[in-house]
Amino acid sequence: MLARCWGYTALCIWALLNPLVAESQEYQSQYRYCYLEVDGEVFLDGDCYIGFYDVSPSKINFDEAGRNISELYVDGSGESKWNGGLGFKLSKSLGVLRQDGDKCWRSNRARVCIQSYADKFESIAHSNSESQKIDKDSEEWQKYQESLRAAQLEREQRAAEEEERRQQRLAAEETERKRLAEEDAKRQARAVQQRREVEKQQLADAEAKRQRLADYAVVLDADTDLYLYSALQLKDLASKRGQTIFIEEVYVFFVQDESWINGGNLTIVNDDSLGSVGRVTCVLSPEDGDNFMEKPHKGIYSISGVLDQFSRRSGIKIFPCKAELRAG
């Protein structure tokens, strides 16, 4: 309420007391029932329009059937002046207007009432006075009915507009829902396709590895597998001396380079701290030794070659041997 009448100082005094006055800011062209009395003389008692002007102090214009009959100024404290109802300058002070009843305000000189026809007829309908019976043939009653029809039409129009906005909002929400559903379906389809591609690649890698290792007589996933071998498995391993061997992961721990420095082979050895049965000794040719020494000396390598020797005490010796770095 206060925000609506902020620019109308005079009206704010009344709007805080009577919502009808604030309403008339937005519907200035509607009929009102007005009463204006100054020093005991009634200047207006009947139909009127009310105009509001954003000036300081604020002005309220009472207009009867297109004839300006009075202009009233009210400042922020309620102090009022008027033009005498004859277009004179606004020099006549009416004092401070204070609320007098539900729709009226009074000062020591004046009384002002502003009432909608709806309020007027409602008050008559609740009156027991015979003189206050509603005359449904009167112009006032017709205007009242006309205002009711206009209000109903406005409510229907607002309801239709609200329903249209609601339908638009629902349509927008449905469009957004479909868009999100389509995006989610696309994401799921991409995820399924990616899983299939990964699985396909894994199968291809497994098949390539199987084919690549098919020619080796001995295949170990890691050098640590040797610590898990039973006596029969170790015996079978020893029986395959002179055949090819492949170990997927061997952690090379140190290098024996005395022979390589003098032009001979380079020997690399894994970490056999868990026991000599798991020791892997790989003897590289001088050329492979040169390549190896360009890489980190310690790291995980794939080792392949010929199983030259095996025993519990010395572990596996592979010669000739090749080493391919897998991870540092």
Side-chain angles (χ1 to χ4, degrees):
M1 177 66 69
L2 191 58
R4 293 176 58 188
C5 66
W6 184 261
Y8 303 91
T9 307
L11 206 54
C12 284
I13 303 169
W14 299 348
L16 295 173
L17 302 173
N18 183 4
L20 171 64
V21 182
E23 176 189 349
S24 60
Q25 292 182 46
E26 298 179 0
Y27 304 97
Q28 296 180 19
S29 62
Q30 290 187 1
Y31 275 108
R32 291 289 183 269
Y33 169 78
C34 298
Y35 180 86
L36 177 61
E37 177 185 333
V38 178
D39 294 332
E41 182 179 354
V42 177
F43 283 83
L44 176 61
D45 182 9
D47 294 347
C48 69
Y49 290 99
I50 304 176
F52 302 94
Y53 302 89
D54 190 7
V55 295
S56 181
S58 293
K59 180 173 69 173
I60 303 172
N61 178 276
F62 295 90
D63 192 328
E64 181 181 25
R67 181 174 63 87
N68 183 288
I69 62 97
S70 187
E71 290 181 353
L72 178 68
Y73 274 63
V74 186
D75 65 16
S77 65
E79 182 68 32
S80 60
K81 293 181 180 181
W82 77 310
N83 65 354
L86 300 174
F88 298 150
K89 291 185 178 179
L90 295 159
S91 59
K92 298 186 178 182
S93 174
L94 298 181
V96 177
L97 289 170
R98 304 185 186 281
Q99 188 172 11
D100 178 34
D102 190 28
K103 311 294 185 194
C104 299
W105 296 263
R106 180 187 294 276
S107 71
N108 59 346
R109 293 191 58 199
R111 188 167 187 263
V112 180
C113 298
I114 303 175
Q115 186 178 28
S116 71
Y117 277 108
D119 290 332
K120 181 179 180 181
F121 283 115
E122 183 179 352
S123 64
I124 294 175
H126 289 83
S127 173
N128 293 323
S129 173
E130 289 296 328
S131 61
Q132 290 291 313
K133 296 301 182 181
I134 296 175
D135 181 4
K136 294 188 178 181
D137 294 327
S138 67
E139 185 179 355
E140 289 183 352
W141 175 261
Q142 298 303 321
K143 290 174 181 177
Y144 169 56
Q145 293 298 315
E146 187 178 317
S147 68
L148 290 181
R149 288 191 293 271
Q152 178 63 25
L153 181 62
E154 182 180 357
R155 285 193 295 270
E156 291 174 356
Q157 182 178 354
R158 289 183 178 178
E161 292 173 353
E162 178 60 29
E163 177 61 20
E164 182 179 0
R165 287 192 293 269
R166 189 182 74 85
Q167 293 297 334
Q168 291 175 349
R169 184 168 61 252
L170 291 176
E173 291 174 354
E174 179 63 16
T175 300
E176 180 66 9
R177 186 194 65 78
K178 288 181 179 180
R179 185 186 67 81
L180 294 176
E182 290 176 358
E183 289 185 357
D184 186 59
K186 289 178 181 179
R187 282 195 298 269
Q188 292 184 12
R190 286 195 297 268
V192 171
Q193 182 63 27
Q194 289 172 355
R195 285 197 301 271
R196 289 175 178 174
E197 291 177 356
V198 169
E199 292 172 356
K200 182 179 179 180
Q201 186 61 45
Q202 290 174 342
L203 291 174
D205 292 344
E207 179 61 20
K209 179 179 178 180
R210 187 191 66 78
Q211 294 179 0
R212 178 167 54 88
L213 301 180
D215 295 334
Y216 290 99
V218 179
V219 176
L220 298 176
D221 290 331
D223 51 1
T224 53
D225 290 351
L226 294 169
Y227 297 112
L228 304 177
Y229 269 27
S230 64
L232 289 176
Q233 288 174 308
L234 292 176
K235 180 180 179 181
D236 180 68
L237 180 63
S239 69
K240 294 181 178 178
R241 284 192 292 265
Q243 299 184 46
T244 55
I245 183 173
F246 175 83
I247 306 177
E248 185 79 29
E249 294 183 359
V250 175
Y251 181 70
V252 175
F253 189 68
F254 65 93
V255 176
Q256 297 173 350
D257 59 0
E258 293 86 352
S259 175
W260 171 76
I261 290 175
N262 293 296
N265 296 325
L266 178 70
T267 300
I268 58 177
V269 183
N270 72 335
D271 179 8
D272 61 353
S273 57
L274 296 179
S276 59
V277 69
R279 180 182 302 159
V280 176
T281 302
C282 173
V283 181
L284 302 173
S285 66
E287 294 78 8
D288 290 337
D290 293 343
N291 294 330
F292 178 87
M293 295 301 285
E294 293 177 355
K295 303 172 185 177
H297 295 177
K298 291 184 179 181
I300 298 177
Y301 286 78
S302 292
I303 289 179
S304 61
V306 176
L307 178 59
D308 182 57
Q309 296 178 12
F310 173 74
S311 68
R312 285 180 178 273
R313 180 172 296 180
S314 60
I316 292 175
K317 179 181 178 182
I318 303 173
F319 177 73
C321 182
K322 290 187 178 294
E324 180 180 353
L325 180 66
R326 289 176 55 85

